[in-house]
Amino acid sequence: MEASGTEASADEAPELSVATPLDVPGQHRLDLDRAIEAILFISDEPLGVVQLAATVARPVAEVRAAIARLVADYDGTGTSGEPRTDVAEAPALVGGGRRAFELREVGGGWRFYVRQEYDALVAGFVLTQTSTKLSQAALETLAVIAYKQPISRSQVAAIRAVNVDSVVRTLLGRGLVTEVDTDPETGAILYGTTEQLLVHLGINSLDELPHISPLLDDGQEGFDLDG
């Protein structure tokens, strides 16, 4: 008995989904690869494939394939752009050279990084673009990291009760804090202070920092232990 014409045969590859939040009425359909690229571009933390898949409402397998295409594109070994099944012809993409940034898997997620050979150049540029004085918000965030390291941005934000993303980026740019580890449970990046901070403070180690509890009026939560 022949199969119905509406049923896919066992030899046919399943079509990619085409009706998703990436389809915006009145606009051209968004490309999956470009959509993931945009999300990763603005994220301050590594994003896992499950989280990305939920964001774009696509199967995890499709998101993994999209990430693989993006990695190859940035490495100069391939091209990115979602294979289309909903149109007769899709424009061909031309691959470029190796980019100065890469898409790297870290802490169970994916995040953009400057390639290692450009680290010194970028660090020098950032340092020349920053002013000499830190804002009050930056000083408070730096103090939290110094006393509670290793600590994630969300943990710093919980202590300060404000968003600290931009402030942490400033401290990273100044070379006062650095990424030291990732949380094994959440994949969040953990931050700590650098030798440069010790130089600015004129101390040899963090052990020389004053105990902070006596400096607080109310024993603020998060600083109940001196360490």
Side-chain angles (χ1 to χ4, degrees), residues 67-85:
I67 290 174
R69 290 192 295 267
L70 289 171
V71 170
D73 187 357
Y74 303 149
D75 288 346
T77 61
T79 58
S80 60
E82 180 185 12
R84 298 291 296 273
T85 63

mmCIF file of all heavy atoms in Angstrom, residues 67-85:
data_model
loop_
_atom_site.group_PDB
_atom_site.id
_atom_site.type_symbol
_atom_site.label_atom_id
_atom_site.label_comp_id
_atom_site.label_asym_id
_atom_site.label_seq_id
_atom_site.Cartn_x
_atom_site.Cartn_y
_atom_site.Cartn_z
ATOM 1 N N ILE A 67 25.117 27.457 15.386
ATOM 2 C CA ILE A 67 26.339 27.848 16.087
ATOM 3 C C ILE A 67 27.565 27.299 15.364
ATOM 4 O O ILE A 67 28.583 27.993 15.205
ATOM 5 C CB ILE A 67 26.308 27.359 17.544
ATOM 6 C CG1 ILE A 67 25.263 28.151 18.338
ATOM 7 C CG2 ILE A 67 27.689 27.496 18.195
ATOM 8 C CD1 ILE A 67 25.058 27.650 19.749
ATOM 9 N N ALA A 68 27.481 26.065 14.896
ATOM 10 C CA ALA A 68 28.601 25.472 14.165
ATOM 11 C C ALA A 68 28.901 26.268 12.897
ATOM 12 O O ALA A 68 30.077 26.481 12.543
ATOM 13 C CB ALA A 68 28.293 24.013 13.821
ATOM 14 N N ARG A 69 27.854 26.724 12.216
ATOM 15 C CA ARG A 69 28.060 27.541 11.016
ATOM 16 C C ARG A 69 28.697 28.877 11.362
ATOM 17 O O ARG A 69 29.592 29.360 10.654
ATOM 18 C CB ARG A 69 26.727 27.755 10.290
ATOM 19 C CG ARG A 69 26.154 26.510 9.632
ATOM 20 C CD ARG A 69 24.994 26.853 8.697
ATOM 21 N NE ARG A 69 23.853 27.399 9.419
ATOM 22 C CZ ARG A 69 22.833 26.674 9.874
ATOM 23 N NH1 ARG A 69 22.844 25.347 9.732
ATOM 24 N NH2 ARG A 69 21.809 27.243 10.491
ATOM 25 N N LEU A 70 28.261 29.500 12.459
ATOM 26 C CA LEU A 70 28.833 30.778 12.876
ATOM 27 C C LEU A 70 30.307 30.629 13.246
ATOM 28 O O LEU A 70 31.151 31.457 12.865
ATOM 29 C CB LEU A 70 28.051 31.343 14.060
ATOM 30 C CG LEU A 70 26.640 31.850 13.762
ATOM 31 C CD1 LEU A 70 25.910 32.173 15.054
ATOM 32 C CD2 LEU A 70 26.677 33.066 12.849
ATOM 33 N N VAL A 71 30.637 29.567 13.979
ATOM 34 C CA VAL A 71 32.033 29.318 14.364
ATOM 35 C C VAL A 71 32.899 29.183 13.119
ATOM 36 O O VAL A 71 33.986 29.774 13.021
ATOM 37 C CB VAL A 71 32.148 28.060 15.242
ATOM 38 C CG1 VAL A 71 33.611 27.667 15.434
ATOM 39 C CG2 VAL A 71 31.496 28.291 16.601
ATOM 40 N N ALA A 72 32.439 28.399 12.160
ATOM 41 C CA ALA A 72 33.198 28.197 10.929
ATOM 42 C C ALA A 72 33.339 29.496 10.147
ATOM 43 O O ALA A 72 34.395 29.796 9.575
ATOM 44 C CB ALA A 72 32.520 27.137 10.073
ATOM 45 N N ASP A 73 32.275 30.292 10.135
ATOM 46 C CA ASP A 73 32.305 31.583 9.440
ATOM 47 C C ASP A 73 33.358 32.488 10.051
ATOM 48 O O ASP A 73 34.199 33.063 9.351
ATOM 49 C CB ASP A 73 30.918 32.221 9.522
ATOM 50 C CG ASP A 73 30.796 33.485 8.685
ATOM 51 O OD1 ASP A 73 31.789 33.908 8.080
ATOM 52 O OD2 ASP A 73 29.687 34.056 8.626
ATOM 53 N N TYR A 74 33.336 32.634 11.374
ATOM 54 C CA TYR A 74 34.292 33.519 12.037
ATOM 55 C C TYR A 74 35.729 32.999 11.917
ATOM 56 O O TYR A 74 36.683 33.782 11.896
ATOM 57 C CB TYR A 74 33.936 33.675 13.520
ATOM 58 C CG TYR A 74 32.537 34.184 13.768
ATOM 59 C CD1 TYR A 74 31.827 33.805 14.902
ATOM 60 C CD2 TYR A 74 31.904 35.037 12.866
ATOM 61 C CE1 TYR A 74 30.534 34.265 15.132
ATOM 62 C CE2 TYR A 74 30.621 35.495 13.077
ATOM 63 C CZ TYR A 74 29.939 35.100 14.211
ATOM 64 O OH TYR A 74 28.655 35.550 14.434
ATOM 65 N N ASP A 75 35.880 31.681 11.849
ATOM 66 C CA ASP A 75 37.216 31.095 11.701
ATOM 67 C C ASP A 75 37.712 31.164 10.258
ATOM 68 O O ASP A 75 38.865 30.821 9.982
ATOM 69 C CB ASP A 75 37.218 29.632 12.159
ATOM 70 C CG ASP A 75 37.106 29.489 13.670
ATOM 71 O OD1 ASP A 75 37.293 30.499 14.370
ATOM 72 O OD2 ASP A 75 36.840 28.369 14.151
ATOM 73 N N GLY A 76 36.847 31.576 9.348
ATOM 74 C CA GLY A 76 37.241 31.686 7.959
ATOM 75 C C GLY A 76 37.258 30.365 7.219
ATOM 76 O O GLY A 76 37.851 30.255 6.140
ATOM 77 N N THR A 77 36.585 29.351 7.789
ATOM 78 C CA THR A 77 36.587 28.025 7.165
ATOM 79 C C THR A 77 35.240 27.645 6.579
ATOM 80 O O THR A 77 35.067 26.540 6.075
ATOM 81 C CB THR A 77 37.006 26.948 8.188
ATOM 82 O OG1 THR A 77 36.065 26.933 9.276
ATOM 83 C CG2 THR A 77 38.394 27.239 8.731
ATOM 84 N N GLY A 78 34.269 28.533 6.661
ATOM 85 C CA GLY A 78 32.945 28.227 6.148
ATOM 86 C C GLY A 78 32.110 29.481 6.050
ATOM 87 O O GLY A 78 32.623 30.597 6.164
ATOM 88 N N THR A 79 30.824 29.308 5.846
ATOM 89 C CA THR A 79 29.898 30.426 5.761
ATOM 90 C C THR A 79 28.729 30.178 6.702
ATOM 91 O O THR A 79 28.445 29.047 7.074
ATOM 92 C CB THR A 79 29.347 30.602 4.329
ATOM 93 O OG1 THR A 79 28.690 29.392 3.934
ATOM 94 C CG2 THR A 79 30.461 30.917 3.355
ATOM 95 N N SER A 80 28.076 31.248 7.099
ATOM 96 C CA SER A 80 26.894 31.120 7.944
ATOM 97 C C SER A 80 25.685 31.622 7.178
ATOM 98 O O SER A 80 25.797 32.338 6.195
ATOM 99 C CB SER A 80 27.069 31.903 9.246
ATOM 100 O OG SER A 80 27.269 33.285 8.980
ATOM 101 N N GLY A 81 24.534 31.257 7.654
ATOM 102 C CA GLY A 81 23.287 31.579 6.979
ATOM 103 C C GLY A 81 22.423 30.337 7.001
ATOM 104 O O GLY A 81 22.850 29.263 6.581
ATOM 105 N N GLU A 82 21.229 30.467 7.536
ATOM 106 C CA GLU A 82 20.359 29.307 7.721
ATOM 107 C C GLU A 82 19.916 28.706 6.393
ATOM 108 O O GLU A 82 19.428 29.418 5.515
ATOM 109 C CB GLU A 82 19.124 29.733 8.512
ATOM 110 C CG GLU A 82 18.134 28.609 8.762
ATOM 111 C CD GLU A 82 16.875 29.120 9.442
ATOM 112 O OE1 GLU A 82 16.686 30.345 9.510
ATOM 113 O OE2 GLU A 82 16.091 28.275 9.916
ATOM 114 N N PRO A 83 20.062 27.381 6.206
ATOM 115 C CA PRO A 83 19.507 26.737 5.003
ATOM 116 C C PRO A 83 17.999 26.938 4.970
ATOM 117 O O PRO A 83 17.319 26.724 5.976
ATOM 118 C CB PRO A 83 19.868 25.261 5.195
ATOM 119 C CG PRO A 83 21.013 25.269 6.147
ATOM 120 C CD PRO A 83 20.772 26.439 7.061
ATOM 121 N N ARG A 84 17.457 27.355 3.851
ATOM 122 C CA ARG A 84 16.039 27.673 3.759
ATOM 123 C C ARG A 84 15.278 26.571 3.042
ATOM 124 O O ARG A 84 15.738 26.033 2.045
ATOM 125 C CB ARG A 84 15.841 28.993 3.013
ATOM 126 C CG ARG A 84 16.472 30.193 3.707
ATOM 127 C CD ARG A 84 15.757 30.536 4.998
ATOM 128 N NE ARG A 84 14.391 30.955 4.742
ATOM 129 C CZ ARG A 84 14.051 32.202 4.461
ATOM 130 N NH1 ARG A 84 14.965 33.142 4.394
ATOM 131 N NH2 ARG A 84 12.781 32.507 4.246
ATOM 132 N N THR A 85 14.102 26.251 3.546
ATOM 133 C CA THR A 85 13.229 25.276 2.892
ATOM 134 C C THR A 85 11.907 25.911 2.495
ATOM 135 O O THR A 85 11.071 25.248 1.894
ATOM 136 C CB THR A 85 12.939 24.099 3.841
ATOM 137 O OG1 THR A 85 12.225 24.593 4.986
ATOM 138 C CG2 THR A 85 14.210 23.424 4.296
#
